[in-house]
Amino acid sequence: MAVSSLTRALGALLLSPAPSLPQIAQHPRLVCLGGNLLPACHGFSTSSNLSTNNPMWKCRIKYTTRPVGMKKTGGRDHTGRIAVHGIGGGHKQRYRMIDFQRLRYGPGSESGSYDEKVIQIRYDPCRSADIALVAGGKQKRWIIATENMQPGDILKTSRHIGRMAVSASEGDAYPLGALPVGTLINNLESHPGKGAQYIRAAGTCGVLLRKVNGTAIVQLPSKRHMQVLETCMATVGRVSNIDHNKRIIGKAGRNRWLGRRPHSGLWHRKGGWAGRKIKPLPPMKSYVSLPTAAARA
Amino acid sequence: MAGLWWPARPAAGALRAWAPRGPHRGKTAKVPRRPLPRTPWTTRGPPPGAPLPRSWQDKRPVQEQIPGLEQVTYAGKQYFVPWLARPRLPRWERGWHDPRHSPGPRYEAMPLYKERVCYVCHQRTKMLEGVRQALWLTKTKLMEGLPPKVLSIIDEPANQLENEDERVQNAISHARVWITTELIPKRESYCPVLLEDLLHLCRTMASKYPSLSKRMLARDYKVAAAWERESSILQVRGMNGILLNAINPLLPVASKDEILATENHILETFHPISPTIDLQEVNVYEERHDTGFREGYPYPHPHTLYFVESANVRPVRFRPEQLRAKMLMFAFGNALAKAKVLYGDDPKVLEHPVVVQSIGTEGRIFQFMVFQLNTTDLASSDGVKNLVWIDSDQYMYDYIRYLPGIRKKVVKFPPGIYGYRPDTFKKFLALYLHGAVQDSTQTQIL
């Protein structure tokens, strides 16, 4: 949850000037907040700080692949009261800025498709999936790794939708209109250019069900159907770390290391947790704004 | 029931344990609004001409809509009163330019600003592709191992110190063990000390070869070199390492045939990654060539560059591949600056190639490199290329045991150096003697 609010706040981070994203600040220089970011260092700096007191640590504008120190909230909101119970403690974590907008062109190169090479795949403390450092052109960035990604792979990203569907290999990113029906996808956007917000957890994948005049319908891991424009980008394959749901926590201490505080022991009579729940599928969620009847007529 | 573990229910009218306190005391939770009913307006949007419901209209604050209704602030009074609104005051201007309180000129306003970007390699640049990237940027061909001329210096028995192994092991023990009263010294302390001790051992050979005394070490000097490589401007700038200067330059290591044979070699590219990745992009720059020393310096020719990689923390320390790339870039930078000073700015194939050696270490692993600059025509990828001989990852010893290994009250593994290899120091010494030994052999022939 913290990560999702974080990614919303970082929605305007500038890896390179992308025309469709709003910009938080027009200031071209790096926002350097206070002197407490870097410890006193003589000559060269050591590895980046482990944590920070700065409440504005999320508001970094310039993209970097170096990990950024985080400030834990403990479930408290801006008033200081607990907004979400059960969060607190846990191992210190540093945030690696992940680029969810897979189709990002460098300044001045607006070509159709480009390749990127996977340099390194590593564990990310902020999410269940693994992350991969990819390099293409002059830039390096972190992306969510897919299941069979290895260092040295070449990933293709393209925004061209042809008449024939592309035979996509795992890890490539294409618009939904270019993929064949039935491919497993992850990192799906709801609106073109918004950045991936769906199907990012470890081992998840969505299925492209059908393509209907200019839109595509995807089944999410919760079996809900979602209708989006066919120009929305998605990555092919399952997200990495597929055995994440099979792990056994083993002891209460491990949950504490993950930052989860114990539940309240009070029995809530009407909690609704017990018993089997059989519900019909919720209706299909459509992110496509169709023209009104008057305009269509 | 007596002895309940949870507190008993508080009296009626008293504050519940989880009720809000402070300014929100007594407020009840707002009932959340039910979702909007499904009507043609809510699903398809209102028809174009119809008036929008209140909640969907654009709401500008009332003060903006009605002219006479702006907030009354204490700006006119010039002092604060608690019942008037806080004014938005204009930003205070100093009226005169104070250099200590001004943000400084923007990049576009600086005199050296150029539209075209320049890529700078400095001493903290860690290149992604390592030596392959440096080879492309400097238009160089790689040869494994040290050149045969240097290897022949190793083979000659006259080029060894007395008690060489013992003296080198003493130097290693000094740096790694005796330097501090604590048990284990940090890399920041032992790495420079080891290099100094090895250089001192090399200098003791000056009694045999007098031309060794015609050399001088220089630290903390800044080099500047600029060149163009396939439509990108590249620069090497800044402090690099310890430079050993000599009065006489190093003679070329490769023969003319080998130099002409490099014309057929094709430089390796690494497709999705651009060769200028990880280099700093600057728009404000000046293309200049500077060896770091003024004219009239008594030791004009660069001989060997020593790089000490002594960062304590592993993420900051250069890995061997990145260290070799840095050594290559700075050896090239020094050679190019010297070539431009000697032979002028025009790009051409050099009649007398410039040779610069380079040794890099992080306290245990040594990288040896001999670089020969054959051409300053670097704009295209064809033609004569420069040459570099790299001997990488030479271990001087395997590990140091600080505490004795005692099994069953008997010292089985005494403290000291384990896995010492004498070849590494022989190569170190050979690179040091490289220019001087030739002089003596030539004088012998004469």
Side-chain angles (χ1 to χ4, degrees):
Chain A
M1 177 238 131
V3 178
S4 59
S5 59
L6 192 149
T7 44
R8 258 182 278 121
L10 281 164
L13 65 88
L14 296 172
L15 184 59
S16 57
S20 55
L21 287 182
Q23 301 193 4
I24 285 180
Q26 299 300 323
H27 207 290
R29 286 188 288 217
L30 172 66
V31 176
C32 182
L33 296 151
N36 56 354
L37 275 183
L38 281 174
C41 49
H42 311 280
F44 314 135
S45 62
T46 53
S47 58
S48 50
N49 43 325
L50 283 167
S51 74
T52 168
N53 307 329
N54 183 10
M56 305 273 280
W57 66 270
K58 292 187 205 176
C59 301
R60 196 192 156 103
I61 302 175
K62 188 167 193 305
Y63 184 86
T64 177
T65 44
R66 302 186 70 191
V68 173
M70 278 166 68
K71 186 175 155 75
K72 286 188 185 277
T73 64
R76 271 80 177 166
D77 63 3
H78 63 286
T79 58
R81 298 184 176 205
I82 295 181
V84 180
H85 290 278
I87 301 181
H91 199 286
K92 263 197 183 139
Q93 297 173 345
R94 285 189 291 174
Y95 175 64
R96 276 112 184 132
M97 298 172 95
I98 312 284
D99 191 8
F100 288 111
Q101 195 183 35
R102 190 63 190 268
L103 188 75
R104 197 185 283 271
Y105 292 112
S109 58
E110 289 281 335
S111 58
S113 71
Y114 59 93
D115 287 339
E116 278 170 315
K117 185 172 172 187
V118 175
I119 312 290
Q120 183 202 15
I121 299 181
R122 61 158 291 154
Y123 170 81
D124 189 8
C126 302
R127 64 199 73 248
S128 53
D130 292 335
I131 54 172
L133 181 64
V134 302
K138 284 182 278 192
Q139 64 177 27
K140 288 188 286 194
R141 56 186 181 155
W142 291 106
I143 60 168
I144 303 272
T146 57
E147 187 185 350
N148 295 322
M149 220 184 241
Q150 298 296 328
D153 290 350
I154 308 281
L155 309 176
K156 187 168 172 203
T157 312
S158 165
R159 72 169 171 192
H160 175 68
I161 305 178
R163 251 176 6 98
M164 297 256 296
V166 177
S167 72
S169 54
E170 192 186 303
D172 295 345
Y174 291 100
L176 287 175
L179 292 170
V181 167
T183 39
L184 300 178
I185 55 171
N186 62 74
N187 287 70
L188 175 65
E189 297 182 324
S190 57
H191 300 267
K194 190 171 186 188
Q197 287 179 312
Y198 300 87
I199 322 175
R200 293 176 353 191
T204 49
C205 58
V207 181
L208 184 57
L209 292 175
R210 54 186 188 278
K211 293 190 262 189
V212 170
N213 63 325
T215 66
I217 295 176
V218 174
Q219 177 181 282
L220 301 176
S222 60
K223 312 276 191 312
R224 186 146 187 206
H225 292 238
M226 178 168 145
Q227 182 182 31
V228 289
L229 285 173
E230 65 171 9
T231 47
C232 293
M233 298 292 293
T235 322
V236 176
R238 280 178 79 181
V239 183
S240 54
N241 200 9
I242 49 178
D243 293 327
H244 176 74
N245 58 345
K246 296 194 187 79
R247 65 169 181 173
I248 300 174
I249 300 286
K251 58 178 193 176
R254 191 159 278 118
N255 261 331
R256 296 307 298 269
W257 301 341
L258 296 170
R260 294 186 200 136
R261 282 182 47 238
H263 294 295
S264 122
L266 182 65
W267 174 61
H268 301 281
R269 185 182 300 275
K270 300 277 205 175
W273 61 273
R276 187 157 172 217
K277 295 166 189 55
I278 304 172
K279 288 172 62 179
L281 259 192
M284 179 170 81
K285 181 78 187 169
S286 175
Y287 290 97
V288 172
S289 48
L290 298 166
T292 57
R296 266 189 275 152
Chain B
M1 272 190 288
L4 295 169
W5 66 267
W6 65 90
R9 194 187 282 263
L15 198 63
R16 281 175 296 186
W18 58 88
R21 289 145 205 276
H24 304 285
R25 190 186 179 108
K27 271 195 198 171
T28 50
K30 276 188 267 200
V31 176
R33 206 191 288 180
R34 276 186 233 103
L36 289 174
R38 253 217 306 211
T39 62
W41 275 40
T42 52
T43 45
R44 290 194 225 126
L52 290 172
R54 264 300 178 81
S55 52
W56 289 12
Q57 280 168 5
D58 266 336
K59 276 186 280 217
R60 277 164 64 230
V62 179
Q63 277 124 30
E64 280 183 48
Q65 294 175 30
I66 302 171
L69 218 61
E70 285 100 10
Q71 281 177 328
V72 182
T73 64
Y74 57 79
K77 279 176 166 295
Q78 302 263 328
Y79 59 85
F80 170 78
V81 291
W83 50 84
L84 289 178
R86 189 173 174 196
R88 278 236 177 117
L89 295 165
R91 203 188 167 97
W92 174 71
E93 304 284 327
R94 200 178 295 272
W96 55 280
H97 169 76
D98 183 5
R100 294 188 299 177
H101 289 101
S102 76
R106 312 302 299 262
Y107 286 133
E108 290 81 9
M110 293 184 184
L112 292 174
Y113 176 79
K114 295 169 184 63
E115 288 291 335
R116 198 174 168 200
V117 155
C118 171
Y119 300 96
V120 177
C121 176
H122 50 80
Q123 60 179 328
R124 297 311 294 168
T125 307
K126 290 183 184 170
M127 299 214 261
L128 183 69
E129 289 282 324
V131 177
R132 292 201 307 170
Q133 191 177 350
L135 290 175
W136 190 92
L137 290 172
T138 56
K139 198 178 169 187
T140 309
K141 182 179 171 188
L142 172 67
M143 323 269 263
E144 287 293 338
L146 289 174
K149 269 193 194 173
V150 175
L151 293 172
S152 63
I153 303 177
I154 302 178
D155 295 329
E156 257 189 74
N159 295 338
Q160 289 178 16
L161 308 168
E162 308 92 29
N163 304 336
E164 185 181 282
D165 287 344
E166 189 194 324
R167 289 170 83 178
V168 174
Q169 285 178 328
N170 278 349
I172 299 173
S173 304
H174 171 221
R176 291 297 299 259
V177 185
W178 305 332
I179 193 179
T180 173
T181 49
E182 292 158 5
L183 190 62
I184 303 178
K186 298 236 155 116
R187 198 181 292 267
E188 276 175 342
S189 16
Y190 74 69
C191 195
V193 170
L194 180 63
L195 190 72
E196 292 297 316
D197 283 350
L198 294 177
L199 279 174
H200 176 77
L201 286 175
C202 295
R203 261 177 257 140
T204 53
M205 293 283 276
S207 50
K208 251 193 239 177
Y209 300 105
S211 45
L212 281 180
S213 58
K214 296 191 184 134
R215 293 184 180 176
M216 180 61 70
L217 276 179
R219 288 163 212 267
D220 296 346
Y221 76 102
K222 291 191 190 166
V223 75
W227 71 102
E228 192 166 324
R229 186 86 183 83
E230 282 200 10
S231 74
S232 345
I233 306 181
L234 301 164
Q235 283 203 37
V236 161
R237 285 289 186 114
M239 303 210 291
N240 23 352
I242 305 171
L243 180 63
L244 183 69
N245 285 310
I247 289 187
N248 306 314
L250 278 169
L251 297 173
V253 173
S255 59
K256 292 277 180 188
D257 302 325
E258 281 180 358
I259 297 172
L260 291 173
T262 58
E263 281 190 32
N264 304 328
H265 175 74
I266 303 172
L267 292 170
E268 195 184 349
T269 49
F270 14 93
H271 162 62
I273 302 176
S274 154
T276 50
I277 200 173
D278 278 336
L279 298 180
Q280 185 187 3
E281 297 182 20
V282 285
N283 283 92
V284 179
Y285 59 93
E286 187 191 1
E287 289 184 60
R288 62 189 181 99
H289 307 286
D290 188 12
T291 49
F293 300 92
R294 285 198 283 239
E295 289 209 30
Y297 183 59
Y299 306 91
H301 299 276
H303 185 277
T304 315
L305 258 179
Y306 295 98
F307 288 92
V308 165
E309 188 43 51
S310 61
N312 270 338
V313 187
R314 204 193 304 167
V316 184
R317 209 184 309 146
F318 275 65
R319 286 193 305 262
E321 181 72 18
Q322 295 165 336
L323 181 62
R324 267 176 266 140
K326 175 180 163 184
M327 284 161 61
L328 178 51
M329 292 302 290
F330 280 102
F332 173 81
N334 279 289
L336 185 67
K338 191 66 201 166
K340 299 269 181 174
V341 164
L342 286 177
Y343 306 120
D345 275 340
D346 307 322
K348 55 176 176 262
V349 178
L350 299 175
E351 281 289 324
H352 306 281
V354 178
V355 177
V356 174
Q357 294 173 146
S358 183
I359 298 180
T361 176
E362 40 110 65
R364 182 172 78 102
I365 308 178
F366 281 74
Q367 326 280 345
F368 301 109
M369 180 185 296
V370 180
F371 177 78
Q372 174 168 324
L373 183 75
N374 297 325
T375 169
T376 51
D377 178 19
L378 302 157
S380 69
S381 288
D382 315 313
V384 173
K385 313 226 174 11
N386 307 316
L387 284 164
V388 69
W389 290 261
I390 300 188
D391 212 359
S392 46
D393 292 341
Q394 305 294 310
Y395 289 66
M396 192 164 262
Y397 51 91
D398 282 338
Y399 60 95
I400 307 279
R401 222 191 164 88
Y402 291 97
L403 293 168
I406 301 176
R407 307 275 177 272
K408 295 189 184 156
K409 301 187 188 172
V410 171
V411 175
K412 282 207 116 173
F413 308 104
I417 307 170
Y418 281 76
Y420 170 68
R421 286 170 222 200
D423 293 332
T424 317
F425 181 71
K426 289 197 174 52
K427 290 180 187 169
F428 190 97
L429 187 58
L431 284 181
Y432 186 83
L433 295 173
H434 182 186
V437 167
Q438 283 178 343
D439 288 344
S440 64
T441 49
Q442 279 177 357
T443 50
Q444 279 168 18
I445 291 166
L446 290 168

